[in-house]
Amino acid sequence: MTAPPELLTPTSPAEAAAAFGDGAGVTVLAGGTILLPELTYGKLRPTRVLMVGRAGMSGVEASNDVVRIGAATPVGELAGAPDPLVTAAKHVADREIRAVGTIGGNLCATAGDSAPRGDLQAPLLALGARITSAGAGGETTEDITAFLERGTGRLVLSIEVPTGQAFGYSRLDRPHTHHYTMLAVTAVKGADGVRVAASGVGDRSRRLAGVESALAGGASAADAAARANEGLDLPTDALASAWYREQMLPLLVQRALGQLG
Ligand SMILES: Cc1cc2nc3c(=O)[nH]c(=O)nc-3n(C[C@H](O)[C@H](O)[C@H](O)COP(=O)(O)OP(=O)(O)OC[C@H]3O[C@@H](n4cnc5c(N)ncnc54)[C@H](O)[C@@H]3O)c2cc1C
């Protein structure tokens, strides 16, 4: 019989970072909506589990032009964060899952076998969020694009999101008890131009480089949207085929850009 994992239960962010160390052999458990089934069915057999639920890592605080969100804040408690993050959060799963699943877990989620996950990554990418994490080399704060490109291996402590930016958001839902979003697009007009990101387009959400560079070059929304699929390897899952996503993504981009004004 396999020995049960050692449970680490920090009571502050500093204790959590110390317990995480360089992350070797540590599995982070937040709301557990993804991890618990994997543990229950033996897909994952960790030796040490770091539970962040009581580490004082939740809450939404606004100061000046930035909102700071603790990584263990439940998806259902993001009121006070900037849109379209709040709107996208309302479409994650159902009330029960949103009460337990956290923004940190969503940020670190990869797509499931049958449906996308990590729906909040796209609004965070478009909003230009900055991620503070602990791990090898100590605490760092970096742009979310760099954080997601590096992949897992760090403990997310908090997420900072700038406020006051114009945005557009459009999505395709599939009627389902648990309310999955098959594809969603967020566009945000920042000081450095328009950032456009999509969820449901692969393992994680992605910025749409073709669209962004077309807009930077002065293209119309329609012409920029026509480049939505550039560089993507769209998935087929239980919600939609890659072909359907390829047809729909440019339309969603055009709708989101149309809301920017
Ligand atoms: C029925 C159902 C419907 C769902 N529908 C949706 C949906 O519509 N959209 C969607 O996006 N997701 C959906 N999900 C997936 C999931 O509920 C959410 O993505 C949720 O936000 C995950 O958060 P969690 O805290 O439960 O993550 P956990 O299960 O605790 O962890 C998920 C992953 O993130 C890592 N992790 C968690 N917190 C941290 C941290 N602070 N630092 C580093 N790593 C961390 C864990 O190690 C693990 O790898 C659904 C799940 C279920 C069961």
Side-chain angles (χ1 to χ4, degrees), residues 97-168:
I97 296 287
R98 290 195 295 272
V100 180
T102 66
I103 188 168
N106 202 287
L107 174 66
C108 296
T110 51
D113 294 338
S114 56
R117 296 187 298 217
D119 290 354
L120 303 185
Q121 295 164 8
L124 289 170
L125 279 164
L127 282 160
R130 291 179 63 74
I131 311 299
T132 297
S133 66
E139 194 172 305
T140 58
T141 298
E142 64 193 324
D143 182 80
I144 181 177
T145 305
F147 175 83
L148 288 177
E149 275 169 8
R150 194 154 32 74
T152 53
R154 298 193 62 84
L155 171 68
V156 181
L157 298 171
S158 62
I159 299 166
E160 282 181 6
V161 188
T163 58
Q165 304 178 92
F167 71 91

Side-chain angles (χ1 to χ4, degrees), residues 20 26-38 44 50 52 57 71-73 75 88 91-94 97-98 100-110 115-121 133 147 152-158 176-181:
F20 185 76
V26 179
T27 298
V28 180
L29 177 71
T33 56
I34 292 172
L35 269 191
L36 278 180
E38 294 185 358
L44 203 64
L50 175 63
V52 296
M57 285 166 51
T73 306
V75 173
H91 293 282
V92 169
D94 49 38
I97 296 287
R98 290 195 295 272
V100 180
T102 66
I103 188 168
N106 202 287
L107 174 66
C108 296
T110 51
R117 296 187 298 217
D119 290 354
L120 303 185
Q121 295 164 8
S133 66
F147 175 83
T152 53
R154 298 193 62 84
L155 171 68
V156 181
L157 298 171
S158 62
H176 184 281
T177 327
H178 294 304
H179 198 112
Y180 284 97
T181 300

Side-chain angles (χ1 to χ4, degrees), residues 168-220:
Y169 174 71
S170 61
R171 70 173 188 285
L172 264 185
D173 283 343
R174 177 170 171 140
H176 184 281
T177 327
H178 294 304
H179 198 112
Y180 284 97
T181 300
M182 70 178 78
L183 201 58
V185 172
T186 306
V188 171
K189 201 186 273 182
D192 53 347
V194 178
R195 286 184 296 267
V196 185
S199 64
V201 294
D203 207 28
R204 294 179 186 275
S205 299
R206 296 268 185 282
R207 279 175 72 172
L208 303 182
V211 176
E212 290 184 357
S213 79
L215 290 171
S220 66

Side-chain angles (χ1 to χ4, degrees), residues 17-69:
F20 185 76
D22 66 3
V26 179
T27 298
V28 180
L29 177 71
T33 56
I34 292 172
L35 269 191
L36 278 180
E38 294 185 358
L39 295 171
T40 304
Y41 294 109
K43 280 182 161 177
L44 203 64
R45 296 184 189 277
T47 50
R48 283 190 297 159
V49 174
L50 175 63
M51 303 177 71
V52 296
R54 293 187 186 164
M57 285 166 51
S58 67
V60 178
E61 276 170 32
S63 69
N64 300 321
D65 297 336
V66 171
V67 168
R68 187 180 158 281
I69 306 165

